[in-house]
Amino acid sequence: MLISQETGLPCGLRLPNRLVKAAMAESMAPAPTHEPNDKMLVAYKEWAEGGWGMLLTGNVQVSETYLGGPLDVLSSKAASSDVQRIWKEWASTCQENGTPAVVQLNHPGRQSPLGAGQRGFFTKNLAPSAVKLNFGNSILAGVASSLLFGTPKAMTEEDISLVIDQFVAGAKQSFQAGFKGVELHGAHGYLLAQFLSPKTNLRTDDFGGSPAKRAEIVLRIIHQVRQATSKGFCIGIKLNSVDASSSDSMADTMEQIGLIVEAGIDFLEISGGTYEDPKMAQQKEPEIVTSTKEIKQTTLQRESFFLSFAQTIRANFPKVVLIVSGGFRTRLGMEAALQSGGCDLIGIARPATVLPKLPKEIILNEDIKDEDARVSLKPVRLPKLYGYLNWLLPVKSMGAGYTSVYYAGQIQRMGDGLKPLDTRL
């Protein structure tokens, strides 16, 4: 099986197999320090024993002023000896069985909610341009957007320079702790995604006005992270898929990806969705592949939410290492995706919270038949209160937000030494 084979990244990092524990918010790092703690070590030890090819951490925020959530881990440019120690323990725990671990670095930009981060009530979020989040057409949805996020401040060049420095500092801290690399979060509507998109980047300076200029902040971060770490330190990026409404939007994205690949990226992960349109947290389970006979391309793409876009990237950039995350539930589907050439690595999120040892126990377990090597999850039931609130306040991301909280709760159970709830169908 391709899925069980070792593979390598351009930086020289070797992965023991093709299964990647995708990034998920742990929500386990409270204020004021927002540092990884013993509970996180317990949770990551479970994954470290699971036989994964690579572990991606949840969001590590690079700015203490703007967090994506009130319990996010925060990187620190001037970390104390105690913080350096716990980071080294985190890296060591993740990798104690030979699985390389990579830190996902992020800045939420306009998606930093009220109360997340060390900023005053009247301090505006940052974004490339002053484009407000749109949760829906109702008056109440507009009020919710205004109260929770507000209209962001268009960043100055000084603001941009500071953010670049913060990403580099986060990468340097990860490198010194012993992690094997970092993944820049350029998806899900966060700050780097805001720069890449013409919908949220209306600038006409060096950081906007063309596809190449919208990618400039990402390119500078990649180059400076490489200079601050080493040639063997992995640098990846997570990007959104494109539901191209026109050939121009697809062409623009391919131009940006070409520049990112040329900058020396080691892998590119494909996901999708934003706070406004949360595809990454959709509830519907994918259509799963159930037989090795005549696996249809349409069925394969319905199991993997974003494989079609990845195949477009592959056609344009045949050598880039691609991770596709979202929807994979079966060994057959994963193997078929790899054999199609659409991706090199399989990212798995929600099933990894239910079965942290999924690779060892099921997917790579040769004692389990192909048709039985699968994990389908029951949809998360929204509490009645959420249903009522969603009727009263039709906000598109409300159900997706609850789903994310639910799976973060499974990680927290792991951190408490408990087994995750088995929600398999």
Side-chain angles (χ1 to χ4, degrees), residues 296-307:
K296 295 180 179 179
Q297 184 70 11
T298 53
T299 302
L300 176 57
Q301 289 175 356
R302 282 196 293 270
E303 173 162 328
S304 170
F305 298 143
F306 308 113
L307 183 61

Side-chain angles (χ1 to χ4, degrees), residues 13 22 25 39 67 109 123 126 165 177-178 198 374 384 415:
L13 183 65
K39 288 187 176 183
L67 301 181
T123 302
L126 297 180
D165 289 344
R374 52 191 285 185
K384 290 183 179 180

